[in-house]
């Protein structure tokens, strides 16, 4: 699904009105219908006829959407009041038109008075709160001491269900950055196309569940819009997974070499190797320090562990030649899970990255080894390198997230260093060297546990070994990993699901997109 910028959706609106001659009030009315339908769905358990709603509006067209929705909610039997957190004199023509239609129903547009105990009481005791204060046009921060700030704060304090019109007020549509403060919506009905900021950073949290409402923009305009940022869903994964040959054998589906593990970190390499096997890889070799080899050998049924020279519990640089000889017969290298950190392991990682032409999936301490050695990554431009950092590891690589623009930071890093970047977190991002970004839509807080990333690395590596392009291997791997986590959370709760559960549920995750 395409994710649009604020300018893109504004341009679609302009083309629809000026070039296709669609009345802008008609677009607003269809937007309001989507808000009404969502509101009634949310209120259904409480019976809408017994419910009351508070609509907080701004003076722009987003406010007009809210005013129109208030009228439709009233006609559906909901007791509704509408508060204008802005200037009546600045209402747009369409918002004025909707205000007139509202008044014909006997409902007036009330000026929002933050100090009014009566207004605050109505809002605090409403079953539904409709946020229509700001849309995609917000360009300044919301000051807490302003009337807008008071409205946002009250919406966040109120116990009712919060529904946002197009975009939760205070969220930057393009980045997900919070503009001073923002409404925390339970659900957002966004118009025409979802926005990047609804799936990135803090904006992804504030938006709640996002649904898309067609407001009558010609389908041709939407179809032809070029969006370098898109979401990954089940259909995307279904059509992107590498095909399995009926007459294939172990070699057909690739051979993966996993290098990792150290004293005290024996689980990580096993999880990676087992996840790669679960994801369809034909053969998985696992190189670990000799002191933990017996542990891994006892765990592994399918993956084949072998010992490597070590120094103080960590793989030694002396293992380089052994690894290179084993890698020569493999399709890809997964490097880093549980590897540990030392000057010697960093030297080993950098040497492997410099010398091998094979695709490399770099995780955990493999990524940390590049800190201060980013030139090693740059030298691999033209070869396949997939990095899977969390925010801290990304920062150690020189990535900059201080602006709050995760998508922009991921795109810039992948393009600058010629790699595929998997920036882990809420709505994990997969960025390609060409500047495209795929945003994940699965996963939950149950995955925020040690070992989850090791499983993810294995899934990505397994798909890559089967011939899937690196960006699709990464994006599909992230989705499937998150899907397994969602299945685990449903069965075990987000508190109790652990990485071994996620590993065990990978077959069910694949089954959800692959027919038997």
């Amino acid at each position: 699904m395409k994710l649009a910028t604020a300018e893109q959706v504004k341009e679609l609106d302009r083309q629809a009105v000026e070039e296709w001659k669609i009345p802008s009030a008609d677009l607003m009315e269809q937007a309001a219908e989507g808000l009404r339908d969502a509101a009634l769905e949310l209120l259904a358990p409480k019976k809408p006829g017994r419910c009351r709603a508070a609509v907080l509006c701004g003076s722009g067209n987003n406010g007009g959407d809210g005013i129109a929705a208030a009228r439709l909610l009233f006609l559906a039997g909901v007791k509704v009041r509408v508060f204008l957190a802005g200037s009546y004199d600045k209402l747009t023509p369409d918002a004025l038109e909707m205000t007139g239609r509202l008044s014909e129903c006997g409902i007036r547009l009330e000026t929002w008075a933050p100090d009014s105990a009566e207004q605050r009481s109505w809002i605090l005791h409403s079953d539904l709160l409709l946020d229509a204060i700001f849309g995609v046009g917000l360009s300044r921060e919301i000051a807490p001491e302003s009337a807008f700030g008071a409205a946002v704060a009250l919406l966040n304090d109120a116990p009712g269900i919060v529904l946002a019109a197009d975009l939760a007020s205070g969220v930057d549509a393009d980045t997900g950055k919070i503009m001073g403060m923002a409404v925390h919506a339970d659900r957002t009905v966004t118009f025409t196309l979802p926005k990047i900021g609804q799936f990135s950073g803090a904006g992804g949290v504030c938006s709640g569940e996002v649904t898309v409402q067609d407001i009558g923009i010609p389908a041709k305009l939407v179809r032809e819009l070029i969006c370098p940022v898109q979401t990954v869903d089940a259909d995307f994964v279904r059509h992107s997974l590498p095909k399995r040959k009926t007459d294939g054998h172990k070699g057909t589906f690739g051979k993966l070499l996993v290098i990792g593990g150290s004293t005290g970190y024996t689980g990580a390499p096993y999880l990676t190797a087992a996840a790669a096997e679960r994801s369809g890889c034909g053969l998985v070799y696992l190189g670990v320090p000799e002191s933990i080899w017996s542990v891994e050998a006892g765990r592994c049924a399918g993956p084949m562990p072998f010992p490597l020279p070590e120094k103080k519990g960590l793989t030694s640089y002396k293992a380089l030649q052994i690894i290179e000889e084993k890698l020569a017969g493999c399709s890809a290298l997964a490097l880093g899970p549980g590897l540990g950190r030392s000057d010697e392991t960093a030297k080993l990682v950098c040497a492997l990255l410099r010398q091998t032409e094979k695709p490399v999936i770099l995780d955990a301490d493999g990524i940390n080894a590049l800190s201060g050695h980013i030139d090693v990554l740059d030298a691999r431009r033209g070869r396949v390198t997939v990095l899977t950092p969390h925010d801290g590891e990304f920062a150690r690589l020189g990535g900059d997230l201080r602006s709050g623009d995760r998508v922009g930071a991921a795109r810039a890093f992948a393009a600058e260093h010629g790699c595929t970047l998997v920036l882990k977190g809420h709505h994990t991002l997969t960025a390609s060297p060409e500047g495209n970004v795929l945003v994940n839509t699965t996963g939950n807080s149950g995955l925020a546990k040690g070992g989850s990333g090791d499983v993810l690395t294995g899934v990505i590596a397994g798909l890559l070994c089967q011939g899937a392009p690196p960006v699709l291997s990464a994006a599909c791997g992230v989705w499937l990993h998150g899907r397994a986590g969602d299945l685990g959370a449903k069965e075990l709760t987000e508190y109790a699901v652990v990485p071994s559960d996620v590993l065990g549920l990978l077959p069910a995750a694949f089954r959800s997109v692959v027919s038997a």
Side-chain angles (χ1 to χ4, degrees):
M1 182 170 56
K2 297 176 180 178
L3 297 182
T5 66
E7 285 304 314
Q8 284 178 315
V9 293
K10 288 177 185 177
E11 176 61 15
L12 288 176
D13 287 350
R14 186 201 66 78
Q15 289 178 311
V17 173
E18 296 181 10
E19 299 174 13
W20 290 70
K21 307 304 180 184
I22 300 173
S24 55
D26 289 356
L27 301 178
M28 185 171 285
E29 191 71 18
Q30 290 191 61
E33 290 172 3
L35 292 169
R36 174 203 58 197
D37 293 345
L40 294 178
E41 179 185 331
L42 292 168
L43 292 173
K46 298 183 177 183
K47 298 183 180 179
R50 299 179 182 177
C51 294
R52 68 183 193 179
V55 181
L56 281 94
C57 302
S59 302
N61 281 340
N62 190 251
D65 297 331
I67 294 168
R71 184 187 84 252
L72 298 179
L73 284 173
F74 169 77
L75 294 175
V78 178
K79 302 178 183 67
V80 62
R81 288 175 66 178
V82 192
F83 305 101
L84 176 62
S87 172
Y88 193 94
D89 294 336
K90 293 182 179 179
L91 285 171
T92 63
D94 287 336
L96 275 172
E97 169 68 19
M98 296 304 165
T99 300
R101 296 181 189 182
L102 182 71
S103 65
E104 290 173 2
C105 295
I107 303 173
R108 67 185 181 90
L109 180 61
E110 304 177 46
T111 299
W112 162 239
D115 295 331
S116 170
E118 189 273 334
Q119 287 187 1
R120 293 177 65 87
S121 177
W122 177 274
I123 293 169
L124 289 170
H125 290 88
S126 289
D127 302 284
L128 181 89
L129 307 158
L130 178 55
D131 163 32
I133 304 171
F134 295 111
V136 298
L138 181 64
S139 59
R140 65 186 187 279
E141 292 200 347
I142 300 174
E145 64 275 10
S146 67
F148 299 116
V152 169
L154 188 58
L155 285 172
N156 288 337
D157 288 341
I161 300 168
V162 179
L163 175 65
D166 198 25
L167 187 72
S169 293
V171 171
D172 185 290
D174 295 346
T175 67
K177 177 183 176 181
I178 302 304
M179 305 294 284
M181 58 191 303
V183 170
H184 289 254
D186 297 296
R187 183 168 173 181
T188 298
V189 175
T190 196
F191 308 136
T192 306
L193 284 170
K195 318 306 183 284
I196 295 172
Q198 293 168 331
F199 290 86
S200 180
V205 178
C206 291
S207 299
E209 178 190 2
V210 178
T211 57
V212 182
Q213 171 68 17
D214 178 4
I215 64 171
I217 301 293
K220 180 177 185 293
L221 296 179
V222 178
R223 186 171 56 251
E224 294 178 352
L225 187 68
I226 297 174
C227 296
V229 184
Q230 300 187 36
T231 59
V232 176
D233 57 17
D235 284 338
F236 180 98
V237 176
R238 184 176 296 112
H239 291 104
S240 300
L241 285 177
K243 305 304 179 187
R244 301 282 293 184
K245 291 185 178 181
T246 304
D247 60 348
H249 52 80
K250 292 188 293 291
T252 305
F253 303 116
K255 301 176 183 179
L256 175 67
L257 175 60
V258 179
I259 299 297
S262 58
T263 300
Y265 294 91
T266 62
Y270 164 75
L271 289 171
T272 297
E277 186 182 38
R278 281 289 193 187
S279 301
C281 187
L283 287 168
V284 182
Y285 301 100
L286 174 56
V288 298
E290 54 192 357
S291 62
I292 67 169
W293 171 79
S294 60
V295 175
E296 302 299 347
R299 279 192 175 124
C300 293
M304 295 166 283
F306 62 94
L308 293 171
E310 68 173 76
K311 182 178 181 180
K312 296 182 179 179
L314 303 175
T315 300
S316 167
Y317 183 75
K318 294 178 181 179
L320 179 61
Q321 184 177 348
I322 300 172
I323 294 171
E324 288 181 326
E325 290 173 355
K326 183 69 78 172
L327 183 56
C330 292
S331 311
L333 169 66
L335 180 58
L339 187 66
R341 300 177 70 175
S342 71
D343 291 343
E344 190 146 348
T345 56
K347 183 181 177 183
L348 175 64
V349 169
C350 290
L352 285 167
L353 290 173
R354 287 191 185 100
Q355 296 176 29
T356 185
E357 297 292 326
K358 298 294 178 73
V360 177
I361 305 92
L362 205 61
D363 182 35
D365 289 324
I367 294 172
N368 289 326
L370 284 181
S371 179
H373 303 284
I374 200 69
D375 59 300
V376 176
L377 177 61
D378 293 336
R380 285 186 57 83
R381 184 178 294 275
R383 290 177 277 177
V384 174
T385 313
V386 181
L387 280 72
T388 63
H390 54 58
D391 286 5
E393 292 164 342
F394 185 59
R396 286 193 284 276
L397 291 176
D400 189 357
L401 295 171
R402 289 174 296 178
S403 70
D405 183 1
R406 292 178 65 81
V407 169
R411 291 180 73 183
F413 187 94
E416 180 181 356
H417 300 292
C419 64
T420 297
L421 179 75
V422 177
L423 183 57
K424 295 186 289 193
H426 183 59
H427 290 305
T428 291
L429 307 174
T430 300
S432 75
E434 296 77 26
N436 298 313
V437 177
L438 295 169
V439 183
N440 191 45
T441 56
T442 58
N444 59 78
S445 70
L447 293 173
K449 293 168 184 169
S452 288
D454 304 310
V455 177
L456 172 61
T457 296
V459 180
I460 295 172
L463 297 177
L464 188 61
C465 282
Q466 294 171 76
V471 172
L472 296 185
S473 297
C476 291
V478 170
W479 189 94
L480 289 161
H481 176 257
R483 173 66 173 154
D486 289 341
L487 293 171
K490 183 177 181 180
E491 179 181 348
L492 303 167
T493 75
E494 294 180 23
Y495 295 94
V497 64
V498 296
S500 59
D501 300 319
V502 176
L503 175 64
L505 286 165
L506 283 175
F510 275 90
R511 192 181 304 119
S512 69
V513 292
V514 178
S515 57

